[in-house]
Amino acid sequence: MRAVDFIQQKRDGKEHSAQEIHEWIERYCKGEIPDYQMSAWTMAVYFNGMTDKEVAALTLAMAKSGDQVDLSAIQGIKVDKHSTGGVGDKTSLIIAPIVAAVGVPVAKMSGRGLGHTGGTIDKLESIEGFHTELTQKQFVEQVNSIGVSLIGQSGDLAPADKKLYALRDVTATVESIPLISSSIMSKKIAAGADAIVLDVKTGNGAFMKTLEDSIELAQAMVSIGTETGRETAAIISDMDQPLGYAIGNALEINEVIATLKGNGPVDLTELCLTLAAHLVVLGKKAADPDEARLLVERALQSGEALEKLRQLIAAQGGDAAVVDEPERLPQAAFTYEVKCERDGYVSAIAAQTLGLAAMKLGAGRATKEDAIDHSVGIVLGKKVGEKVSQGDVLAIMHANAELDPQHEAVQMTLSAFAIAEQAPAVRPLLQAI
Ligand code: URA
């Protein structure tokens, strides 16, 4: 079909066949469809949407456009989890050892952070010696031997999505549910998991700001999973404030270790147990989420999940002694307390602003090439709903340069906390399942 006819089909609200979509993506990757025609089509999708069948075809076409990880040599149902991104989100590092301790294999590829959100791989690299680049053979062998491996994205996963995403970014076509859901799921499918649990964030620190949009995105991704033969479940979780207290790589690893010792923040622990229970159901180690919940709680309380983290760190060359002595993690030279300027209640914490403040300290990168400082970041002193008095510590900033009240990152951190006279209605952590 001529490119112009394909664009016209979508402009006029008609349905493409799976074959037409596959050809469209293949020709785009080969450079036969120019960016201006692809942009016209994505704008037509933005306005007219796509059917479930079309979205599934687009997802598979993008998943097949590059390397596809073959996990068939790993015994059992391989599960993966994906979060739509957030600040202080270290859930993968807690969930993977819990789920592996219950006997469900976790072979997970994770990304690096960009902008205000952190990346699992950067966090792991704050542990001395930890290798995030394994060969496919090492990756598979490790999962077969200890049940878990977390590595960086290798090869060329879903290059069609990479090219298309860059184009959407500059043509005002990112905010389209069919395009977002196919983009995320194409990478998950190429990464080889049999079953996927999605943590769709909602709120000011999230990609989706409203509950309605988050539910629509979750439903679209579950429908893609179903159409493409991967069992998929989704939960919607709040990102109107950072998850847990720590933001920044080594600081977050410290919080991961505390959580696996049973001393973690309530919100972080609850979200991890919920997501882990869903993964255990999809991994067929429990019949329903209630039975799975008992198994994941037992893995946490018995210390088996913590032991799994130790094994994971040791297997990938890292200093496993950090589990017992977290002070071995990189430490920043200076700390600075950001104090509350008036009495009241914390009514909101702008997660995105704190993510950007941590980035200014060196915890994140503005461009892919930037180096990061694993030791720096921010630890919250208060969460939404807490009563505060003037002079209370709202946050402690960990930096490798001395900070003062005029420092941009300090100003940003202070501005992230909204203080109200009345206690706010606290939003539930899990918004919908
Ligand atoms: N994340 C992705 O991977 N793709 C999108 O389109 C949006 C967020």
Side-chain angles (χ1 to χ4, degrees):
M1 185 188 284
R2 290 188 317 155
V4 66
D5 297 329
F6 184 83
I7 299 165
Q8 188 178 338
Q9 247 185 10
K10 192 42 64 191
R11 184 200 69 188
D12 296 344
K14 303 212 173 89
E15 187 178 22
H16 303 302
S17 71
Q19 177 63 22
E20 285 163 351
I21 291 175
H22 276 269
E23 275 171 26
W24 178 247
I25 293 298
E26 214 174 272
R27 289 173 63 203
Y28 181 56
C29 287
K30 284 187 192 152
E32 291 170 16
I33 305 288
D35 278 348
Y36 58 81
Q37 285 186 307
M38 184 54 97
S39 315
W41 179 75
T42 54
M43 191 57 86
V45 169
Y46 179 91
F47 284 111
N48 288 331
M50 295 177 93
T51 62
D52 285 355
K53 283 206 160 36
E54 285 179 311
V55 179
L58 176 60
T59 307
L60 283 179
M62 293 199 294
K64 288 179 181 162
S65 66
D67 296 341
Q68 288 174 272
V69 181
D70 180 7
L71 300 179
S72 58
I74 298 173
Q75 299 113 33
I77 299 170
K78 279 75 68 184
V79 296
D80 197 355
K81 80 117 320 232
H82 179 80
S83 148
T84 58
V87 175
D89 186 347
K90 64 282 287 176
T91 51
S92 291
L93 294 162
I94 299 165
I95 294 166
I98 294 179
V99 170
V102 174
V104 178
V106 182
K108 185 162 173 52
M109 287 190 173
S110 291
R112 294 187 182 277
L114 189 62
H116 73 282
T117 57
T120 299
I121 291 305
D122 296 322
K123 293 170 198 179
L124 282 169
E125 284 177 351
S126 52
I127 301 170
E128 203 191 328
F130 195 99
H131 295 299
T132 55
E133 286 175 21
L134 302 187
T135 64
Q136 177 78 13
K137 189 164 171 276
Q138 290 169 322
F139 183 49
V140 166
E141 278 174 7
Q142 182 175 319
V143 181
N144 276 336
S145 106
I146 64 163
V148 59
S149 182
L150 295 178
I151 60 169
Q153 264 172 27
S154 61
D156 200 15
L157 287 192
D161 171 64
K162 203 178 284 170
K163 193 170 173 197
L164 192 55
Y165 190 81
L167 184 68
R168 287 166 54 211
D169 214 15
V170 292
T171 54
T173 50
V174 167
E175 296 88 351
S176 151
I177 301 257
L179 296 179
I180 298 173
S181 53
S182 55
S183 163
I184 293 173
M185 291 296 283
S186 67
K187 288 170 284 206
K188 290 285 110 184
I189 289 170
D194 302 314
I196 302 156
V197 172
L198 301 159
D199 176 16
V200 179
K201 305 288 186 191
T202 192
N204 73 37
F207 201 63
M208 291 284 152
K209 310 282 180 217
T210 69
L211 185 56
E212 295 71 38
D213 284 349
S214 308
I215 292 174
E216 204 184 327
L217 178 62
Q219 284 170 340
M221 291 195 285
V222 170
S223 157
I224 294 174
T226 311
E227 290 276 337
T228 56
R230 264 79 171 177
E231 257 198 276
T232 306
I235 72 158
I236 316 270
S237 69
D238 185 46
M239 193 30 83
D240 245 8
Q241 61 176 329
L243 192 56
Y245 287 84
I247 303 165
N249 301 287
L251 295 167
E252 292 191 43
I253 292 288
N254 195 20
E255 193 163 75
V256 165
I257 294 168
T259 305
L260 287 171
K261 287 180 177 168
N263 307 322
V266 176
D267 60 347
L268 179 62
T269 305
E270 179 53 35
L271 179 58
C272 289
L273 288 173
T274 304
L275 288 166
H278 278 83
L279 285 162
V280 167
V281 172
L282 293 192
K284 307 271 186 266
K285 292 284 173 192
D288 56 52
D290 290 342
E291 188 190 335
R293 176 77 187 208
L294 292 178
L295 294 177
V296 297
E297 279 179 3
R298 197 180 305 147
L300 186 66
Q301 284 155 11
S302 64
E304 286 166 71
L306 185 68
E307 176 54 26
K308 204 44 92 179
L309 177 69
R310 237 187 236 110
Q311 290 174 9
L312 167 69
I313 297 173
Q316 292 188 219
D319 173 21
V322 293
V323 171
D324 301 300
E325 299 163 50
E327 57 283 0
R328 296 168 74 96
L329 289 163
Q331 312 274 335
F334 302 96
T335 55
Y336 181 89
E337 292 182 341
V338 176
K339 294 196 174 149
C340 192
E341 293 180 338
R342 62 196 180 92
D343 297 353
Y345 292 86
V346 178
S347 59
I349 303 178
Q352 187 164 339
T353 308
L354 287 180
L356 289 170
M359 192 176 107
K360 294 249 176 258
L361 298 178
R365 27 177 105 66
T367 72
K368 273 200 291 193
E369 288 70 36
D370 289 350
I372 59 171
D373 182 342
H374 291 102
S375 66
V376 300
I378 300 170
V379 178
L380 304 188
K382 300 286 175 191
K383 297 272 285 189
V384 170
E386 285 191 59
K387 196 168 190 302
V388 284
S389 304
Q390 189 181 5
D392 280 356
V393 176
L394 293 175
I396 300 178
M397 307 187 66
H398 294 244
N400 276 323
E402 264 192 278
L403 300 178
D404 60 51
Q406 268 62 55
H407 192 284
E408 197 184 0
V410 172
Q411 296 275 327
M412 287 167 81
T413 302
L414 185 60
S415 75
F417 286 81
I419 309 295
E421 279 176 17
Q422 306 292 328
V426 176
R427 288 157 54 107
L429 171 67
L430 301 179
Q431 297 263 355
I433 296 185

